[in-house]
Coordinates of all heavy atoms in Angstrom, one line a residue:
P29 N -4.1 15.5 -0.8 CA -4.8 16.5 0.0 C -6.3 16.4 -0.1 O -6.8 16.0 -1.2 CB -4.3 17.9 -0.6 CG -3.0 17.5 -1.3 CD -3.1 16.1 -1.8
A30 N -7.0 16.7 1.0 CA -8.4 16.6 1.0 C -8.9 17.8 0.1 O -8.3 18.8 -0.1 CB -9.0 16.8 2.4
R31 N -10.1 17.5 -0.5 CA -10.7 18.6 -1.4 C -11.2 19.7 -0.5 O -11.8 19.4 0.6 CB -11.7 18.0 -2.3 CG -11.1 17.1 -3.3 CD -12.0 16.4 -4.2 NE -12.9 17.2 -5.0 CZ -12.6 17.8 -6.1 NH1 -11.4 17.6 -6.7 NH2 -13.6 18.5 -6.8
T32 N -11.0 20.9 -0.9 CA -11.4 22.1 0.0 C -12.5 22.8 -0.8 O -13.5 22.3 -1.2 CB -10.2 22.9 0.3 OG1 -9.6 23.4 -1.0 CG2 -9.1 22.2 1.1
T33 N -12.2 24.1 -1.0 CA -13.3 25.0 -1.6 C -13.2 24.9 -3.1 O -12.2 24.5 -3.7 CB -13.0 26.4 -1.2 OG1 -11.8 26.9 -1.8 CG2 -13.0 26.6 0.3
T34 N -14.3 25.2 -3.7 CA -14.4 25.2 -5.2 C -13.3 26.1 -5.7 O -12.7 25.8 -6.7 CB -15.8 25.7 -5.6 OG1 -16.8 24.7 -5.1 CG2 -15.9 25.7 -7.1
A35 N -13.2 27.3 -5.1 CA -12.2 28.2 -5.6 C -10.7 27.6 -5.6 O -10.0 27.8 -6.5 CB -12.2 29.5 -4.8
E36 N -10.4 27.0 -4.5 CA -9.1 26.4 -4.4 C -8.9 25.2 -5.3 O -7.9 25.0 -5.9 CB -8.8 25.9 -2.9 CG -7.5 25.3 -2.7 CD -6.3 26.2 -3.1 OE1 -6.3 27.4 -2.9 OE2 -5.2 25.6 -3.5
I37 N -10.0 24.4 -5.5 CA -9.9 23.3 -6.4 C -9.8 23.7 -7.8 O -8.9 23.2 -8.6 CB -11.2 22.4 -6.3 CG1 -11.2 21.7 -4.9 CG2 -11.3 21.4 -7.4 CD1 -12.5 21.1 -4.5
E38 N -10.5 24.8 -8.2 CA -10.5 25.2 -9.6 C -9.5 26.2 -10.0 O -9.0 26.2 -11.1 CB -11.9 25.8 -9.9 CG -13.0 24.7 -9.9 CD -14.4 25.3 -10.4 OE1 -14.5 26.5 -10.6 OE2 -15.3 24.4 -10.5
L39 N -9.0 27.0 -9.0 CA -8.0 28.0 -9.3 C -6.8 28.0 -8.5 O -5.8 28.8 -8.7 CB -8.7 29.4 -9.2 CG -9.8 29.6 -10.2 CD1 -10.6 30.9 -9.8 CD2 -9.4 29.6 -11.6
G40 N -6.7 27.0 -7.5 CA -5.6 27.0 -6.6 C -4.4 26.2 -7.2 O -4.4 25.8 -8.3
T41 N -3.4 26.0 -6.4 CA -2.2 25.4 -6.8 C -1.9 24.0 -6.1 O -0.7 23.5 -6.2 CB -1.0 26.3 -6.5 OG1 -0.9 26.6 -5.1 CG2 -1.1 27.6 -7.4
T42 N -2.9 23.4 -5.5 CA -2.7 22.1 -4.8 C -3.5 21.1 -5.5 O -4.7 21.3 -5.8 CB -3.1 22.2 -3.4 OG1 -2.3 23.2 -2.7 CG2 -2.9 20.9 -2.6
L43 N -2.8 20.0 -5.8 CA -3.5 18.8 -6.4 C -4.5 18.2 -5.4 O -4.1 17.8 -4.3 CB -2.6 17.7 -6.9 CG -3.2 16.5 -7.5 CD1 -4.0 16.8 -8.8 CD2 -2.1 15.4 -7.7
Q44 N -5.8 18.2 -5.8 CA -6.8 17.7 -4.9 C -7.7 16.8 -5.8 O -8.8 17.1 -6.1 CB -7.7 18.8 -4.3 CG -6.9 19.7 -3.4 CD -7.7 20.9 -2.9 OE1 -8.9 20.7 -2.6 NE2 -7.2 22.1 -2.8
P45 N -7.2 15.6 -6.2 CA -7.9 14.8 -7.1 C -9.3 14.3 -6.6 O -9.4 14.0 -5.4 CB -7.0 13.6 -7.4 CG -6.1 13.6 -6.3 CD -6.0 15.0 -5.8
K46 N -10.3 14.3 -7.5 CA -11.6 13.9 -7.1 C -11.8 12.5 -7.6 O -12.1 12.2 -8.8 CB -12.7 14.8 -7.6 CG -14.1 14.3 -7.2 CD -15.2 15.3 -7.7 CE -16.5 14.8 -7.2 NZ -17.6 15.7 -7.8
F47 N -11.7 11.5 -6.7 CA -11.9 10.1 -7.0 C -13.4 9.9 -6.9 O -14.0 10.4 -6.0 CB -11.1 9.2 -6.1 CG -9.6 9.4 -6.2 CD1 -8.9 10.2 -5.3 CD2 -8.9 8.7 -7.2 CE1 -7.6 10.4 -5.5 CE2 -7.6 8.9 -7.3 CZ -6.9 9.7 -6.5
G48 N -14.0 9.1 -7.8 CA -15.4 8.8 -7.8 C -15.8 7.9 -6.6 O -14.9 7.5 -5.8
A49 N -17.1 7.7 -6.5 CA -17.6 6.8 -5.4 C -16.9 5.4 -5.5 O -16.8 4.8 -4.4 CB -19.1 6.7 -5.5
D50 N -16.5 5.0 -6.7 CA -15.8 3.7 -6.8 C -14.3 3.8 -6.5 O -13.6 2.9 -6.7 CB -16.0 3.2 -8.2 CG -15.6 4.1 -9.3 OD1 -15.0 5.2 -9.0 OD2 -15.8 3.8 -10.5
G51 N -13.8 5.0 -6.2 CA -12.4 5.3 -5.8 C -11.6 5.5 -7.1 O -10.3 5.5 -6.9
L52 N -12.2 5.7 -8.2 CA -11.4 5.9 -9.4 C -11.5 7.3 -10.0 O -12.5 8.0 -9.8 CB -11.9 4.9 -10.5 CG -11.9 3.4 -10.1 CD1 -12.5 2.5 -11.1 CD2 -10.4 3.0 -9.7
I53 N -10.5 7.6 -10.8 CA -10.5 8.9 -11.5 C -10.1 8.6 -13.0 O -9.2 7.8 -13.2 CB -9.5 9.9 -10.9 CG1 -9.6 11.3 -11.5 CG2 -8.1 9.4 -10.9 CD1 -8.9 12.4 -10.7
P54 N -10.8 9.1 -14.0 CA -10.4 8.9 -15.4 C -9.1 9.5 -15.7 O -8.7 10.6 -15.2 CB -11.5 9.6 -16.2 CG -12.6 9.8 -15.2 CD -12.0 9.9 -13.8
C55 N -8.3 8.8 -16.5 CA -7.0 9.3 -16.9 C -6.8 9.1 -18.4 O -6.9 8.0 -19.0 CB -5.9 8.5 -16.2 SG -4.2 9.0 -16.6
I56 N -6.6 10.2 -19.1 CA -6.2 10.2 -20.5 C -4.7 10.2 -20.6 O -4.0 11.0 -19.9 CB -6.8 11.5 -21.2 CG1 -8.3 11.5 -21.0 CG2 -6.4 11.5 -22.7 CD1 -8.9 12.9 -21.2
T57 N -4.2 9.4 -21.5 CA -2.7 9.3 -21.7 C -2.4 9.8 -23.1 O -2.9 9.3 -24.1 CB -2.2 7.9 -21.4 OG1 -2.7 7.4 -20.2 CG2 -0.7 7.8 -21.5
Q58 N -1.4 10.7 -23.1 CA -1.1 11.3 -24.4 C 0.4 11.2 -24.6 O 1.2 11.3 -23.7 CB -1.5 12.8 -24.3 CG -1.3 13.7 -25.5 CD -1.8 15.1 -25.2 OE1 -1.6 15.7 -24.1 NE2 -2.4 15.7 -26.1
D59 N 0.8 11.1 -25.9 CA 2.3 11.1 -26.2 C 2.8 12.5 -26.0 O 2.3 13.4 -26.6 CB 2.4 10.6 -27.7 CG 3.9 10.5 -28.1 OD1 4.6 11.5 -28.0 OD2 4.3 9.4 -28.5
A60 N 3.8 12.6 -25.2 CA 4.4 13.9 -24.8 C 5.0 14.6 -26.0 O 4.9 15.9 -26.1 CB 5.4 13.8 -23.7
A61 N 5.5 13.9 -26.9 CA 6.2 14.5 -28.1 C 5.2 14.9 -29.2 O 5.4 16.0 -29.8 CB 7.3 13.5 -28.6
T62 N 4.3 14.0 -29.5 CA 3.4 14.3 -30.6 C 2.0 14.8 -30.3 O 1.3 15.4 -31.1 CB 3.2 13.0 -31.4 OG1 2.4 12.1 -30.7 CG2 4.5 12.4 -31.9
G63 N 1.6 14.6 -29.0 CA 0.3 15.0 -28.6 C -0.8 14.0 -28.9 O -2.0 14.2 -28.6
E64 N -0.4 12.9 -29.6 CA -1.4 11.9 -29.9 C -2.0 11.2 -28.6 O -1.3 10.9 -27.7 CB -0.7 10.8 -30.7 CG -1.7 9.6 -31.1 CD -1.0 8.6 -32.0 OE1 0.3 8.6 -32.1 OE2 -1.7 7.8 -32.6
V65 N -3.3 11.1 -28.6 CA -3.9 10.4 -27.5 C -3.6 8.9 -27.6 O -4.0 8.3 -28.6 CB -5.5 10.7 -27.4 CG1 -6.1 9.8 -26.3 CG2 -5.7 12.1 -27.2
L66 N -3.0 8.3 -26.6 CA -2.6 6.9 -26.7 C -3.7 6.0 -26.1 O -3.9 4.9 -26.6 CB -1.3 6.7 -26.0 CG -0.1 7.5 -26.5 CD1 1.1 7.3 -25.6 CD2 0.2 7.1 -28.0
M67 N -4.3 6.4 -25.0 CA -5.2 5.5 -24.3 C -6.0 6.3 -23.3 O -5.7 7.4 -22.9 CB -4.5 4.3 -23.7 CG -3.4 4.7 -22.7 SD -2.6 3.2 -22.0 CE -3.8 2.8 -20.8
F68 N -7.0 5.6 -22.7 CA -7.8 6.0 -21.6 C -7.9 4.9 -20.6 O -8.0 3.7 -21.0 CB -9.2 6.4 -22.1 CG -10.1 6.6 -21.0 CD1 -10.2 7.9 -20.4 CD2 -11.0 5.6 -20.5 CE1 -11.1 8.1 -19.3 CE2 -11.8 5.8 -19.4 CZ -11.9 7.1 -18.9
A69 N -7.7 5.2 -19.4 CA -7.8 4.2 -18.3 C -8.3 4.9 -17.0 O -8.5 6.1 -17.0 CB -6.5 3.4 -18.1
F70 N -8.4 4.1 -16.0 CA -8.7 4.7 -14.7 C -7.5 4.5 -13.7 O -6.7 3.6 -13.9 CB -9.9 4.0 -14.1 CG -11.2 4.3 -14.8 CD1 -11.7 3.5 -15.8 CD2 -11.9 5.4 -14.4 CE1 -12.9 3.8 -16.5 CE2 -13.1 5.8 -15.1 CZ -13.6 4.9 -16.1
M71 N -7.4 5.4 -12.8 CA -6.5 5.3 -11.7 C -7.2 5.4 -10.4 O -8.3 6.0 -10.3 CB -5.5 6.5 -11.7 CG -4.5 6.5 -12.8 SD -3.3 7.8 -12.7 CE -2.1 7.3 -13.8
N72 N -6.7 4.7 -9.3 CA -7.2 5.0 -8.0 C -6.0 5.7 -7.3 O -5.0 6.0 -7.9 CB -7.6 3.6 -7.3 CG -6.4 2.7 -7.2 OD1 -5.3 3.0 -7.4 ND2 -6.8 1.4 -6.8
A73 N -6.2 6.0 -6.0 CA -5.2 6.7 -5.3 C -3.8 6.0 -5.3 O -2.8 6.6 -5.4 CB -5.6 7.0 -3.8
E74 N -3.9 4.7 -5.1 CA -2.6 3.9 -5.1 C -1.9 3.9 -6.4 O -0.7 4.1 -6.5 CB -2.9 2.5 -4.6 CG -1.7 1.6 -4.5 CD -2.0 0.2 -4.0 OE1 -3.1 -0.2 -3.9 OE2 -1.0 -0.5 -3.8
S75 N -2.7 3.8 -7.5 CA -2.0 3.8 -8.8 C -1.5 5.2 -9.2 O -0.4 5.3 -9.8 CB -2.9 3.2 -9.9 OG -4.0 4.1 -10.1
L76 N -2.2 6.2 -8.8 CA -1.7 7.6 -9.0 C -0.4 7.8 -8.2 O 0.6 8.3 -8.7 CB -2.8 8.6 -8.7 CG -2.3 10.1 -8.8 CD1 -1.8 10.4 -10.2 CD2 -3.5 11.0 -8.4
A77 N -0.4 7.4 -6.9 CA 0.8 7.5 -6.1 C 1.9 6.7 -6.7 O 3.1 7.2 -6.8 CB 0.5 7.0 -4.7
H78 N 1.7 5.5 -7.2 CA 2.7 4.7 -7.8 C 3.3 5.4 -9.0 O 4.5 5.4 -9.3 CB 2.2 3.3 -8.1 CG 3.3 2.3 -8.5 ND1 3.6 2.1 -9.8 CD2 4.0 1.5 -7.7 CE1 4.6 1.2 -9.8 NE2 4.9 0.8 -8.5
T79 N 2.4 6.0 -9.8 CA 2.8 6.7 -11.0 C 3.7 7.8 -10.6 O 4.8 8.0 -11.3 CB 1.6 7.2 -11.8 OG1 0.8 6.1 -12.2 CG2 2.0 8.1 -12.9
L80 N 3.4 8.6 -9.6 CA 4.2 9.8 -9.2 C 5.5 9.3 -8.6 O 6.5 10.0 -8.9 CB 3.4 10.6 -8.2 CG 2.1 11.2 -8.8 CD1 1.4 12.0 -7.7 CD2 2.4 12.2 -9.9
Q81 N 5.5 8.2 -7.9 CA 6.8 7.8 -7.2 C 7.7 7.1 -8.2 O 8.9 7.3 -8.1 CB 6.4 6.8 -6.1 CG 5.7 7.4 -5.0 CD 5.1 6.4 -4.0 OE1 4.8 5.3 -4.4 NE2 4.9 6.8 -2.8
T82 N 7.2 6.4 -9.2 CA 8.1 5.6 -10.1 C 8.3 6.3 -11.5 O 9.2 5.9 -12.2 CB 7.5 4.2 -10.4 OG1 6.3 4.4 -11.1 CG2 7.4 3.5 -9.1
R83 N 7.4 7.2 -11.8 CA 7.3 7.9 -13.1 C 7.0 6.9 -14.2 O 7.2 7.2 -15.4 CB 8.6 8.6 -13.5 CG 9.1 9.7 -12.5 CD 8.0 10.8 -12.4 NE 8.5 12.0 -11.7 CZ 8.3 12.2 -10.4 NH1 7.5 11.4 -9.7 NH2 8.7 13.3 -9.8
K84 N 6.4 5.7 -13.9 CA 5.9 4.8 -14.8 C 4.4 4.8 -14.7 O 3.9 4.6 -13.6 CB 6.4 3.4 -14.5 CG 7.9 3.2 -14.8 CD 8.3 1.8 -14.5 CE 9.8 1.6 -14.7 NZ 10.2 0.2 -14.3
A85 N 3.7 5.0 -15.8 CA 2.3 5.1 -15.8 C 1.7 3.8 -15.2 O 2.0 2.7 -15.7 CB 1.7 5.3 -17.2
T86 N 0.9 3.9 -14.2 CA 0.3 2.8 -13.5 C -1.2 3.1 -13.3 O -1.6 4.2 -12.9 CB 0.9 2.6 -12.1 OG1 2.3 2.5 -12.2 CG2 0.4 1.4 -11.4
Y87 N -2.0 2.1 -13.7 CA -3.4 2.3 -13.7 C -4.1 1.2 -12.8 O -3.4 0.4 -12.3 CB -3.9 2.1 -15.2 CG -3.3 3.0 -16.2 CD1 -2.2 2.5 -17.0 CD2 -3.7 4.3 -16.3 CE1 -1.6 3.4 -17.9 CE2 -3.0 5.2 -17.2 CZ -2.0 4.7 -18.0 OH -1.4 5.5 -18.9
W88 N -5.4 1.4 -12.7 CA -6.2 0.4 -11.9 C -7.0 -0.4 -13.0 O -7.7 0.2 -13.7 CB -7.1 1.1 -10.9 CG -8.0 0.1 -10.3 CD1 -9.4 -0.2 -10.5 CD2 -7.6 -0.9 -9.3 NE1 -9.8 -1.2 -9.7 CE2 -8.8 -1.6 -8.9 CE3 -6.4 -1.1 -8.6 CZ2 -8.8 -2.6 -7.9 CZ3 -6.4 -2.1 -7.6 CH2 -7.6 -2.9 -7.3
S89 N -6.8 -1.7 -13.0 CA -7.5 -2.6 -13.9 C -8.9 -2.9 -13.2 O -8.9 -3.6 -12.2 CB -6.7 -3.8 -14.2 OG -7.5 -4.8 -14.9
R90 N -9.9 -2.4 -13.8 CA -11.3 -2.7 -13.3 C -11.6 -4.2 -13.5 O -12.2 -4.8 -12.6 CB -12.3 -1.8 -13.9 CG -12.1 -0.4 -13.6 CD -13.2 0.5 -14.2 NE -13.2 0.4 -15.6 CZ -14.2 0.8 -16.4 NH1 -15.2 1.4 -15.9 NH2 -14.1 0.7 -17.7
S91 N -11.2 -4.8 -14.6 CA -11.5 -6.2 -14.9 C -10.8 -7.1 -14.0 O -11.3 -8.1 -13.5 CB -11.3 -6.5 -16.3 OG -9.9 -6.3 -16.7
R92 N -9.5 -6.8 -13.7 CA -8.7 -7.7 -12.8 C -8.7 -7.3 -11.4 O -8.1 -8.0 -10.5 CB -7.2 -7.8 -13.4 CG -7.1 -8.4 -14.7 CD -5.7 -8.4 -15.2 NE -5.3 -7.0 -15.4 CZ -4.5 -6.5 -16.3 NH1 -3.9 -7.4 -17.1 NH2 -4.2 -5.3 -16.4
Q93 N -9.2 -6.1 -11.1 CA -9.2 -5.5 -9.7 C -7.8 -5.5 -9.1 O -7.6 -5.9 -8.0 CB -10.1 -6.3 -8.8 CG -11.6 -6.2 -9.2 CD -12.1 -4.8 -8.9 OE1 -12.2 -4.4 -7.8 NE2 -12.5 -4.0 -10.0
T94 N -6.8 -4.9 -9.9 CA -5.4 -4.8 -9.4 C -4.7 -3.7 -10.1 O -5.2 -3.2 -11.1 CB -4.7 -6.2 -9.7 OG1 -3.4 -6.1 -9.0 CG2 -4.5 -6.5 -11.1
L95 N -3.6 -3.3 -9.5 CA -2.8 -2.3 -10.2 C -2.2 -2.9 -11.4 O -1.9 -4.1 -11.5 CB -1.6 -1.9 -9.3 CG -1.9 -1.0 -8.0 CD1 -0.7 -0.6 -7.3 CD2 -2.8 0.2 -8.3
W96 N -1.9 -2.0 -12.4 CA -1.4 -2.4 -13.7 C -0.4 -1.4 -14.2 O -0.7 -0.3 -14.5 CB -2.6 -2.5 -14.6 CG -2.4 -2.4 -16.1 CD1 -1.4 -2.9 -16.9 CD2 -3.2 -1.6 -17.0 NE1 -1.6 -2.6 -18.2 CE2 -2.7 -1.8 -18.3 CE3 -4.3 -0.8 -16.8 CZ2 -3.2 -1.1 -19.4 CZ3 -4.9 -0.2 -17.9 CH2 -4.3 -0.4 -19.2
V97 N 0.9 -1.8 -14.1 CA 2.0 -0.9 -14.6 C 2.1 -1.1 -16.1 O 2.3 -2.2 -16.5 CB 3.3 -1.3 -13.9 CG1 4.4 -0.4 -14.4 CG2 3.2 -1.2 -12.4
K98 N 1.8 -0.1 -16.8 CA 1.8 -0.2 -18.3 C 3.2 -0.7 -18.7 O 4.2 -0.1 -18.4 CB 1.4 1.2 -18.9 CG 1.3 1.1 -20.4 CD 0.1 0.3 -20.8 CE -0.1 0.3 -22.3 NZ -0.6 -1.0 -22.8

Side-chain angles (χ1 to χ4, degrees):
R31 290 175 61 82
T32 57
T33 66
T34 300
E36 180 58 33
I37 290 165
E38 293 184 354
L39 299 170
T41 59
T42 301
L43 177 65
Q44 299 177 37
K46 182 179 181 182
F47 297 97
D50 57 3
L52 303 177
I53 189 168
C55 180
I56 302 162
T57 304
Q58 185 179 40
D59 185 298
T62 68
E64 180 178 12
V65 174
L66 298 175
M67 57 179 281
F68 169 86
F70 289 94
M71 290 183 164
N72 62 10
E74 186 179 2
S75 63
L76 177 55
H78 191 267
T79 296
L80 296 174
Q81 290 168 337
T82 66
R83 303 299 191 259
K84 291 180 181 177
T86 304
Y87 306 99
W88 175 255
S89 172
R90 294 182 302 165
S91 60
R92 294 177 297 213
Q93 293 290 295
T94 189
L95 291 184
W96 155 46
V97 178
K98 185 67 178 144

